[in-house]
Amino acid sequence: MVGLGTIVNALAIIGGTCIGLVLQKGLPSKWQETIMQSIGLCICVIGLQMALKTTNIIIVIISIVLGVVIGEYLNIEHNLNRFGAWLEKKLLKKATTADSSGKFGEAFIAASLIYCVGAMAIVGSIQEGLTGDRSTLYAKSLLDGLTAIIFSANLGIGIALSAVSVLLYQGAITLTAGYLESIISVLLLTEITATGGIMIIAIGLNMLKLIEIRIANMLPAILVVGFVCKIISVLG
């Protein structure tokens, strides 16, 4: 079945979220705060590891700057938070406060980035599409399910919505794997991972409450990096 690896990945996230929500009720607030801070530190390390894989930091800088300009112009963060508030109200059948809807949207954006940005999501989806090998996506499913438990215990049910992002993103890559294999170079994969790493560091800093970064407004950088890498390959 084409796309089974991605479906398993999405179900793992939903399952992990359900477990996390059950655990959430039994955790004292000070525990949740400390766990949240610990996760934030770990996410910063993960993002740093990804960012340091770059072979050309200029590509990352240009992509981030241009991506942010596009994101700010489109006001992606605001629109996604509005969508999160609307969806939370529909799904939970209750009115939401500005604080709760903001948390729901924050959880959705952060988890979607963490689960979708990275080599495992891209390579695993291409592998399944071309050869039917789902081993990479199954390994990713295990990791995502475990992190979903921790994230949802601290950020709430918004984590589950990221399963939709995973389905759409990885599913699209799997279905178009034959075409993507010919255009995704080692350079592009490396710089997408590095650019995504910068965003994941931003997620960690937000979770630590050290600074408030509009992460969703950085999302266009993932597309921009493709154009920058293409230009560089042509000129080089």
Side-chain angles (χ1 to χ4, degrees):
M1 176 183 174
V2 177
L4 180 60
T6 292
I7 293 172
V8 169
N9 198 168
L11 291 175
I13 293 169
I14 294 172
T17 301
C18 293
I19 295 171
L21 291 174
V22 171
L23 294 177
Q24 183 184 44
K25 298 177 181 178
L27 289 177
S29 57
K30 67 176 183 178
W31 287 28
Q32 292 187 39
E33 182 181 0
T34 305
I35 291 172
M36 187 74 157
Q37 291 169 341
S38 301
I39 294 170
L41 289 170
C42 292
I43 287 175
C44 285
V45 173
I46 292 170
L48 185 60
Q49 288 177 328
M50 291 173 64
L52 289 176
K53 290 181 179 179
T54 181
T55 57
N56 190 334
I57 190 62
I58 300 301
I59 294 177
V60 176
I61 293 172
I62 293 173
S63 300
I64 290 288
V65 171
L66 293 179
V68 167
V69 169
I70 295 170
E72 288 289 344
Y73 177 76
L74 297 175
N75 207 6
I76 296 173
E77 178 98 3
H78 175 71
N79 291 325
L80 280 178
N81 280 332
R82 285 182 59 190
F83 172 70
W86 175 82
L87 197 59
E88 182 183 20
K89 188 173 181 179
K90 293 294 182 182
L91 291 177
L92 302 183
K93 304 295 183 183
K94 66 178 183 180
T96 59
T97 63
D99 182 63
S100 67
S101 62
K103 189 174 181 181
F104 186 91
E106 177 191 351
F108 164 57
I109 294 167
S112 295
L113 270 171
I114 291 169
Y115 295 147
C116 292
V117 175
M120 287 186 81
I122 298 172
V123 174
S125 299
I126 290 177
Q127 280 179 334
E128 180 178 12
L130 292 177
T131 67
D133 181 4
R134 304 184 182 97
S135 57
T136 301
L137 288 183
Y138 286 158
K140 181 176 180 291
S141 299
L142 178 60
L143 293 172
D144 291 355
L146 291 173
T147 53
I149 295 174
I150 301 171
F151 290 155
S152 59
N154 291 275
L155 292 174
I157 197 171
I159 299 298
L161 187 59
S162 65
V164 178
S165 302
V166 169
L167 274 174
L168 295 176
Y169 177 71
Q170 292 181 186
I173 292 175
T174 297
L175 293 174
T176 58
Y179 172 72
L180 291 175
E181 185 191 33
S182 63
I183 65 172
I184 294 183
S185 61
V186 174
L187 174 65
L188 178 56
L189 186 58
T190 299
E191 300 310 327
I192 284 177
T193 299
T195 303
I198 299 294
M199 298 182 199
I200 289 174
I201 292 172
I203 291 171
L205 294 176
N206 277 0
M207 291 176 71
L208 291 170
K209 296 184 177 7
L210 295 177
I211 191 172
E212 186 174 342
I213 302 172
R214 291 185 290 275
I215 300 166
N217 288 350
M218 300 171 71
L219 286 174
I222 296 296
L223 298 176
V224 173
V225 72
F227 292 102
V228 175
C229 286
K230 182 65 175 177
I231 292 170
I232 287 178
S233 64
V234 169
L235 295 177

